[in-house]
Short mmCIF file of all heavy atoms in Angstrom, two decimals:
data_model
loop_
_atom_site.label_atom_id
_atom_site.label_comp_id
_atom_site.label_asym_id
_atom_site.label_seq_id
_atom_site.Cartn_x
_atom_site.Cartn_y
_atom_site.Cartn_z
N ASN W 70 16.22 14.00 -2.50
CA ASN W 70 15.39 13.47 -3.59
C ASN W 70 13.92 13.60 -3.20
O ASN W 70 13.60 14.02 -2.08
CB ASN W 70 15.78 12.03 -3.90
CG ASN W 70 15.67 11.13 -2.68
OD1 ASN W 70 14.58 10.97 -2.13
ND2 ASN W 70 16.78 10.57 -2.25
N THR W 71 13.04 13.20 -4.10
CA THR W 71 11.60 13.36 -3.86
C THR W 71 11.11 12.50 -2.72
O THR W 71 10.23 12.89 -1.96
CB THR W 71 10.82 13.03 -5.14
OG1 THR W 71 11.20 13.96 -6.16
CG2 THR W 71 9.32 13.12 -4.92
N ASP W 72 11.64 11.30 -2.58
CA ASP W 72 11.06 10.30 -1.70
C ASP W 72 11.49 10.39 -0.23
O ASP W 72 10.77 9.96 0.64
CB ASP W 72 11.42 8.91 -2.21
CG ASP W 72 10.86 8.63 -3.59
OD1 ASP W 72 9.93 9.35 -4.01
OD2 ASP W 72 11.34 7.69 -4.24
N ASP W 73 12.67 10.92 0.04
CA ASP W 73 13.23 10.84 1.39
C ASP W 73 13.33 12.21 2.07
O ASP W 73 13.76 13.18 1.44
CB ASP W 73 14.61 10.18 1.36
CG ASP W 73 14.57 8.79 0.77
OD1 ASP W 73 13.84 7.95 1.33
OD2 ASP W 73 15.24 8.56 -0.26
N PHE W 74 13.01 12.22 3.35
CA PHE W 74 13.04 13.49 4.09
C PHE W 74 13.46 13.20 5.53
O PHE W 74 12.63 13.18 6.44
CB PHE W 74 11.67 14.15 4.03
CG PHE W 74 11.63 15.57 4.51
CD1 PHE W 74 12.60 16.49 4.15
CD2 PHE W 74 10.57 16.02 5.31
CE1 PHE W 74 12.55 17.81 4.58
CE2 PHE W 74 10.51 17.33 5.75
CZ PHE W 74 11.50 18.23 5.38
N PRO W 75 14.73 12.97 5.79
CA PRO W 75 15.19 12.66 7.14
C PRO W 75 15.22 13.89 8.05
O PRO W 75 15.50 15.00 7.61
CB PRO W 75 16.60 12.11 6.91
CG PRO W 75 17.05 12.75 5.63
CD PRO W 75 15.81 12.90 4.79
N LEU W 76 14.96 13.63 9.33
CA LEU W 76 15.00 14.66 10.36
C LEU W 76 16.12 14.32 11.33
O LEU W 76 16.16 13.21 11.85
CB LEU W 76 13.67 14.70 11.13
CG LEU W 76 13.58 15.66 12.31
CD1 LEU W 76 13.49 17.10 11.82
CD2 LEU W 76 12.38 15.33 13.18
N THR W 77 17.02 15.26 11.57
CA THR W 77 18.17 15.01 12.44
C THR W 77 18.13 15.89 13.68
O THR W 77 17.88 17.10 13.58
CB THR W 77 19.49 15.24 11.68
OG1 THR W 77 19.58 14.31 10.60
CG2 THR W 77 20.69 15.05 12.60
N LEU W 78 18.36 15.23 14.81
CA LEU W 78 18.57 15.94 16.07
C LEU W 78 20.08 15.88 16.34
O LEU W 78 20.62 14.80 16.59
CB LEU W 78 17.81 15.26 17.21
CG LEU W 78 16.29 15.36 17.23
CD1 LEU W 78 15.64 14.58 16.09
CD2 LEU W 78 15.74 14.87 18.59
N ALA W 79 20.74 17.00 16.25
CA ALA W 79 22.20 17.01 16.34
C ALA W 79 22.69 16.64 17.74
O ALA W 79 23.67 15.92 17.91
CB ALA W 79 22.75 18.36 15.93
N SER W 80 21.99 17.14 18.76
CA SER W 80 22.36 16.87 20.14
C SER W 80 21.08 16.88 20.95
O SER W 80 20.60 17.93 21.36
CB SER W 80 23.33 17.93 20.65
OG SER W 80 23.68 17.70 22.00
N ALA W 81 20.51 15.70 21.14
CA ALA W 81 19.17 15.58 21.71
C ALA W 81 19.09 16.12 23.14
O ALA W 81 20.03 15.97 23.94
CB ALA W 81 18.72 14.13 21.68
N VAL W 82 17.95 16.73 23.46
CA VAL W 82 17.66 17.21 24.80
C VAL W 82 16.32 16.63 25.25
O VAL W 82 15.48 16.26 24.41
CB VAL W 82 17.60 18.75 24.86
CG1 VAL W 82 18.98 19.34 24.54
CG2 VAL W 82 16.57 19.28 23.89
N PRO W 83 16.08 16.52 26.56
CA PRO W 83 14.84 15.90 27.04
C PRO W 83 13.57 16.55 26.52
O PRO W 83 12.56 15.87 26.33
CB PRO W 83 14.96 16.03 28.57
CG PRO W 83 16.43 15.99 28.82
CD PRO W 83 17.04 16.74 27.68
N SER W 84 13.60 17.85 26.22
CA SER W 84 12.40 18.52 25.70
C SER W 84 12.04 18.07 24.29
O SER W 84 10.96 18.41 23.78
CB SER W 84 12.60 20.03 25.72
OG SER W 84 13.67 20.41 24.87
#
Side-chain angles (χ1 to χ4, degrees):
Chain W
N70 57 62
T71 298
D72 298 342
D73 301 301
F74 191 44
L76 176 73
T77 297
L78 289 68
S80 179
V82 295
S84 63

